[in-house]
Structures are given as structure tokens and as C-alpha cells.
Amino acid sequence: MGPAAQALAVRRGVMHLLADPGTAGEAWGAAARCSLEAWRLFLRVEDCALPLRARLGAAEPLAAGVRREVERTAGEEVGRVLAARAELAALGRTARALGVQAVLLKGGVAAAQGELLDLLDVDLLLSPGDARAFAAALDRAGYAAAGADAAGPEFGVHHLAERRAPNSLPIEIHFDLKGVDGVDAFRARAVPLDAAPGLARPAADDQLWHLLVHATHHHPARRARIRDLLLIGRAAAECAPEERARVDARVRAHPAARDLAAVLAAAQALRGSGPPLDPHRRMAAAIYLFLPLSERLRLPPLVQKEMFESLAALSGGPEDRRLYRRAVTRRTATPSELPGLAGLERRLPALLSPLRVAIRAGRHAVWLAAAAPLALRARALAARADGP
């Protein structure tokens, strides 16, 4: 088996181990016998070394090289978690100094509350006016904006440019949330986050709903990532019965109800509610195939990003492809990076913005053609994979 096929076997074994170490048995044994290359690929994609390490005591021993790789990756993940906790304290102080409400989102809530789950950035939600004031405060404190701030959600962008500082995680300051109706009410329902004074967190059902739509629609590949499934399962466990009932009603009423329900069921199973479910093996296989290929070809970042988006759309369902088409044809969110073209766009937006959309659509047509063989290969690998 190649690295991608072996990585799928590792994935199955790890999911069984996380769901119920006592019944991992054959699935974990097959994972333990996979190559170091496959394990490295799995760990890079799934971001779950910390919860995996916590389970290893009850499992069949791993080869020494694989065990060292798990330990090394877990060390990197815990470093990011600890960096996030220190950064959250500083962000809370900034919010208090400005007198604004800053709502911590997604994995940042889990990190603040002591959960050891990897995260790569910190997301905050503020009102539009407060968001810009908060960003300006960060800029004065030594953060730098990674690009221009987008104009608003009408351009398909719901946050300001990412803010970065040395030895800190990147910060995304949201002024709106995709897939969440009534953002003002979302902020109003937020509650103080005792673990990070000065910051708030979403209500439990809002947290679960936001994580679900974020993984299912905003970044479709994340519905397959074990780290995100664990985070969604954690949010589901936090909900009281009436809160969970509200989320279930929203799932049933959503146009992508089947996708949302599948992600939620897989997330709950992974936290021990039953045998592990993996309805997203095809997406995982596509990622395992694409990552090494993109590195071998040394694809430029923009090409890598857009080709992966095309591959994810081909590896998902009809709703994924509809959302992909909408993203490709939306208005341009930020000015061109070419000074001359940026000036023309400001003077002739009716002409230049459609032109940039047409150029983007042309690029994606090429990426779709290039990604199609990978999508077919991912389908075949997923079909041959054992398990539910």
C-alpha cells in the first residue's frame, strides 16, 4: 500500500482507539504496523497527536520511530495551546481596556478551558466598529496586518485581515459570521469566559452550531479532520438537553441537513458514544493524496489553495459543489495586489471586478481538470478502506 492508503488505515485505527480503546483491537493493530511515512502524513493532516498520546497507554505498542513522531508532534501541538492561553490573557486585557465585548470562537474556547486540542489561530467576534478599534489596538501593540482589510460581508469576507506578531498565534477579528443568522443576537447570548477574563464565549448551542457550519460549509475538508470532529463532539457534550434540541431543529431545517447530521454523528461517536463512524473517508483520502503531491511539485501558495478547494469540491457532495461555484464567482474581496490595477479598480469597479471574477473562474476550471484524477483515486481508496 502507498502512504495515502496506509494513512487511511492509521486513521481507522486511531478513530477506534479514541472512541473506545477496549475494542480497538484489529483496527489499531493494522494502524500500528503502518509505515513511519504514513504516520507522519496522518499526523500532519489530522492534528490529533495530543488526544492520541493520551490513549496510547491502553493500546498495542507502536514502533519506536512512530512513537517518537507522535511525541514530537504532540509537543508542537501543546506548545501552540500554551501560546494561545497566554495570548488570550493579553487579548482579554485589551478588551477590558477598550470597554468592548470580544467573543472567543471555536477552538480558542476549548484551549482557554484547558482542553488539549491543537489550534493554529485565535478567532474573535466583535461588532463592526469595535472590530476595527480592537485591530488598531493590536497594531499599536506590535501586531501586523497580513494584507488589506476587506470592505465587508457583501464581498464574501467576514473578518479583518489576520493580525500576526512574533511568538504568537495569528488572530482573526470577525465582524460577522458566515452561516450564522442574527449575529447581533449571537453576541448578545454570549457569556463571560471565566478562564480568560475580559473575553466572552458563545452560548453552548451557538458554539456547536457555529462549529458545525464552519466545518461543513466554510472549510469542507475539515469535516473529515479528526481534530475538528473532537472539537465538535466536545461542544455537543456541553449542551444541555434543551440547547441540543435547538441545534437538532436547526440541522433538520437546513438545506444541507444530511451533511450536518453526518458530521455531528461522527463527532459524537469519536467521543465514545458508539462505534466510530467515518462517512468522510473520501475527503480524508483526497487530502492524503494531495498534500505530498503539492509539496513534490512545489506549487505556489495560491495554486495550492485553489487546487485544493477544487479537489475538496469534487470529493464532497452536491452542496459542496454549489458552495464552491458560489465562492469562485463572488465579487472580489480585496483590492488587487498590483498597484496600477488596484487604482483602476477604484475608478472603474463595474469593469474590473467582473474581469477579476472571470480570471478566477478560468483558473479554477484548470484546477478542476487537474484535480479530477486525484478525486477518482481518492474515491477508489476510500471504497477499499475497511470499516463502517
Side-chain angles (χ1 to χ4, degrees):
M1 290 193 296
Q6 287 192 55
L8 278 179
V10 173
R11 174 184 172 89
R12 179 171 181 251
V14 170
M15 292 181 81
H16 275 268
L17 185 68
L18 293 174
D20 184 358
T23 60
E26 181 182 346
W28 174 253
R33 293 189 294 272
C34 287
S35 69
L36 177 58
E37 182 183 7
W39 271 93
R40 283 177 174 157
L41 178 58
F42 166 83
L43 291 167
R44 288 180 63 194
V45 170
E46 304 294 352
D47 291 335
C48 65
L50 280 169
L52 170 59
R53 185 175 66 177
R55 294 285 201 184
L56 286 181
E60 176 182 327
L62 291 170
V66 173
R67 181 64 187 247
R68 284 194 297 271
E69 189 66 17
V70 172
E71 293 288 348
R72 184 192 66 79
T73 308
E76 293 178 351
E77 291 181 5
V78 77
R80 287 190 288 269
V81 172
L82 295 177
R85 290 178 187 169
E87 196 164 15
L88 293 177
L91 294 173
R93 290 192 293 270
T94 300
R96 292 199 304 271
L98 294 174
V100 300
Q101 182 202 50
V103 183
L104 187 61
L105 302 173
K106 299 183 295 188
V109 175
Q113 294 178 327
E115 188 87 358
L116 290 178
L117 277 175
D118 193 23
L119 72 167
L120 299 179
D121 60 10
V122 173
D123 294 86
L124 295 170
L125 172 67
L126 294 94
S127 69
D130 289 346
R132 294 190 179 276
F134 199 93
L138 293 184
D139 295 343
R140 292 192 297 271
Y143 285 81
D149 287 329
E154 67 272 16
F155 291 94
V157 174
H158 296 72
H159 56 79
L160 302 178
E162 194 174 69
R163 261 58 185 181
R164 299 175 182 172
N167 303 315
S168 298
L169 295 184
I171 299 174
E172 277 192 359
I173 303 171
H174 293 252
F175 48 82
D176 198 6
L177 295 176
K178 288 194 292 185
V180 175
D181 296 328
V183 174
D184 290 342
F186 183 100
R187 290 200 312 270
R189 289 190 296 268
V191 296
L193 183 57
D194 295 337
L199 300 179
R201 57 150 294 168
D205 52 333
D206 285 334
Q207 170 80 341
L208 176 56
W209 179 250
H210 183 219
L211 287 169
L212 269 177
V213 296
H214 185 76
T216 304
H217 287 316
H218 308 167
H219 302 284
R222 291 193 180 183
R223 73 183 64 164
R225 191 166 67 164
I226 290 176
R227 178 264 182 189
D228 287 78
L229 292 173
L230 289 169
L231 189 60
I232 291 168
R234 179 186 189 275
E238 283 188 322
C239 288
E242 64 274 13
E243 292 170 324
R244 179 56 193 273
R246 288 196 292 268
V247 173
D248 289 342
R250 295 178 79 172
V251 167
R252 290 192 297 270
H254 198 276
R258 185 171 64 177
D259 294 337
L260 293 166
V263 171
L264 185 52
Q268 290 181 286
L270 200 56
R271 287 187 69 94
S273 68
L277 305 173
D278 195 5
H280 306 110
R281 280 194 305 271
R282 188 193 310 175
M283 187 73 76
I287 300 169
Y288 295 155
L289 288 167
F290 178 76
L291 183 60
L293 176 64
S294 68
E295 292 176 342
R296 286 198 302 272
L297 297 178
R298 298 183 180 179
L299 297 177
L302 178 62
V303 174
Q304 185 177 22
K305 174 180 179 293
E306 293 187 344
M307 187 173 173
F308 181 72
E309 290 170 351
S310 303
L311 177 60
L314 291 174
S315 301
E319 180 69 7
D320 297 307
R321 289 186 280 277
R322 183 187 71 80
L323 291 170
Y324 171 77
R325 288 192 297 271
R326 189 171 71 180
V328 168
T329 57
R330 64 172 167 77
R331 292 171 59 191
T332 303
T334 56
S336 171
E337 296 179 2
L338 300 175
L341 187 55
L344 281 174
E345 282 181 321
R346 286 192 292 271
R347 290 192 294 273
L348 300 170
L351 173 64
L352 270 298
S353 184
L355 177 61
R356 288 184 67 190
V357 170
I359 292 171
R360 187 195 307 131
R363 289 199 311 268
H364 277 269
V366 175
W367 310 146
L368 284 168
L374 284 179
L376 290 173
R377 176 66 176 153
R379 180 189 293 269
L381 287 178
R384 288 201 300 268
D386 292 332

